[in-house]
């Protein structure tokens, strides 16, 4: 959704809520993914589009914590993750998470598939993905 006058390209939703003492941050694409991660108790931020911008990368560099990117597990999400790596890897650790393949979620059509979106993950799955993450 485009909010008139909101400079989304220059901000990260949730960056102002960091309290200090966080060991890392989780970065997601949209507001629903952000709400899920915060609901699970993780320090999260959303860039509110499909690609991290240079302005947003500067915010993450200033925060200085390792970044776990929870992009959607699709082609656009992987491209966005690779773009973020290029903007950040020289400055802060960028971690790649892998979506679980040993479980399924039900689609609106009644089919089943592995989770592909942070909003589909349980708190336990997020924790496992963080523990299993690798440097990008």
């Amino acid at each position: 959704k485009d909010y008139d006058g909101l400079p989304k390209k220059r901000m990260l939703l949730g960056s102002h809520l960091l309290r200090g003492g966080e060991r890392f941050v989780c970065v997601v694409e949209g507001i629903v993914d952000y709400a899920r991660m915060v609901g699970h108790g993780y320090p999260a931020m959303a860039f509110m589009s499909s690609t991290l911008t240079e302005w947003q990368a500067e915010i993450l560099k200033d925060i200085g914590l390792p970044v776990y990117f929870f992009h959607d597990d699709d082609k656009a999400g992987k491209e966005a993750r690779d773009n973020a790596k290029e903007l950040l890897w020289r400055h802060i650790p960028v971690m790649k998470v892998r979506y679980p393949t040993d479980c399924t979620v039900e689609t609106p059509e009644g089919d089943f598939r592995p989770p592909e979106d942070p909003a589909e993950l349980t708190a336990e799955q997020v924790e496992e993905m963080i523990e299993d993450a690798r440097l990008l």
Side-chain angles (χ1 to χ4, degrees), residues 6-11 47-49 53-56 59:
L6 181 68
K8 293 191 301 185
K9 293 181 180 184
R10 295 180 181 256
M11 58 189 310
F47 47 92
M48 301 176 289
S49 69
T53 67
E54 290 184 28
W55 292 293
Q56 294 165 332
I59 294 169

Side-chain angles (χ1 to χ4, degrees), residues 100-107 111-116 120-122 125:
T101 57
D102 60 345
C103 61
T104 59
V105 295
E106 187 172 3
T107 68
D111 298 322
F112 291 89
R113 61 165 173 71
E116 301 172 337
E120 299 171 339
L121 299 169
T122 66
Q125 289 168 328

Side-chain angles (χ1 to χ4, degrees), residues 59-77:
I59 294 169
L60 290 170
K61 290 177 199 176
D62 287 344
I63 292 169
L65 295 173
V67 174
Y68 288 77
F69 274 96
F70 281 81
H71 290 82
D72 293 354
D73 195 26
D74 57 16
K75 183 180 178 192

Side-chain angles (χ1 to χ4, degrees), residues 61-95:
K61 290 177 199 176
D62 287 344
I63 292 169
L65 295 173
V67 174
Y68 288 77
F69 274 96
F70 281 81
H71 290 82
D72 293 354
D73 195 26
D74 57 16
K75 183 180 178 192
K78 290 173 185 171
E79 289 173 0
R81 181 196 65 215
D82 293 343
N83 174 65
K85 174 190 173 189
E86 289 305 312
L87 292 171
L88 296 171
W89 76 271
R90 290 178 182 92
H91 308 280
I92 55 177
V94 180
M95 306 303 291

